Amino acid sequence: MNQFTTEIVDALVKKQDITEVFRSHLEMAMNTLLKTELTKFLDYEKYDRAGFTQATPIMGLIRARFT
């Protein structure tokens, strides 16, 4: 069982409302998805051969000007 399943079973055994379990796990999943999408959109993980990150298009212009 994973964390989500364990928390749901625990809440059901204790006869608690499982809405908070769903809400917290949905929030974590959405935050992870948004972080991944933002990272991909901004190209934070790509590196050029010189080892500089290409965080924004302006970084390419700066490197082109000084190389």
Side-chain angles (χ1 to χ4, degrees):
M1 290 210 265
N2 59 27
Q3 179 92 13
F4 177 69
T5 308
T6 304
E7 289 181 22
I8 287 178
V9 169
D10 187 46
L12 290 172
V13 167
K14 293 178 181 177
K15 298 185 188 231
Q16 297 174 340
D17 186 23
I18 59 172
T19 305
E20 179 59 26
V21 176
F22 280 109
R23 189 208 60 76
S24 65
H25 280 274
L26 179 60
E27 180 182 4
M28 284 189 297
M30 290 303 296
N31 286 337
T32 302
L33 175 65
L34 291 172
K35 181 180 174 184
T36 302
E37 289 295 318
L38 183 60
T39 300
K40 181 66 177 169
F41 178 75
L42 296 175
D43 289 331
Y44 278 137
E45 294 181 333
K46 293 184 179 178
Y47 292 89
D48 64 3
R49 286 183 239 181
F52 298 105
T53 61
Q54 296 176 347
T56 60
I58 193 70
M59 293 299 292
L61 295 174
I62 293 170
R63 276 196 307 279
R65 174 121 168 97
F66 294 102
T67 55

